[in-house]
Amino acid sequence: MAKGDKVTLANSGWCKRCGICVHVCPTDVLKLGQDRVEIDDIDKCIGCENCELSCPDFVLKVVKVNE
Ligand code: SF4
Ligand code: SF4
């Protein structure tokens, strides 16, 4: 986790909509869409990596974002 890190949907097609990432995100960045997880408000992401570490299907990746 570093300043400017944000979540990305690295492998969105692998999402099975289990909802774990939504549950573990402390700032409500993620939501479940019709088919897969979606980023609801990227500005709230603090780069904590909870979602990446908790997703069983390697869907999410927290990366450095240039602002
Ligand atoms: S990195 Fe942390 S704050 Fe950002 S979406 Fe994942 S769990 Fe939420
Ligand atoms: S934890 Fe992974 S598989 Fe489950 S909803 Fe989130 S992104 Fe999809």
Side-chain angles (χ1 to χ4, degrees), residues 4-67:
D5 286 359
K6 300 282 185 187
V7 70
T8 58
L9 300 177
N11 299 298
S12 63
W14 297 352
C15 178
K16 62 190 177 197
R17 258 183 121 262
C18 69
I20 294 173
C21 58
V22 177
H23 185 70
V24 300
C25 176
T27 55
D28 292 333
V29 173
L30 304 165
K31 69 175 183 184
L32 290 183
Q34 190 83 2
D35 301 314
R36 58 185 62 112
V37 72
E38 295 176 357
I39 297 175
D40 190 41
D41 188 351
I42 194 64
D43 291 338
K44 291 187 191 170
C45 181
I46 58 172
C48 70
E49 298 183 359
N50 278 6
C51 56
E52 180 180 329
L53 296 172
S54 302
C55 175
D57 295 279
F58 308 101
V59 173
L60 305 165
K61 184 90 186 143
V62 176
V63 299
K64 188 85 182 164
V65 175
N66 292 325
E67 296 181 327

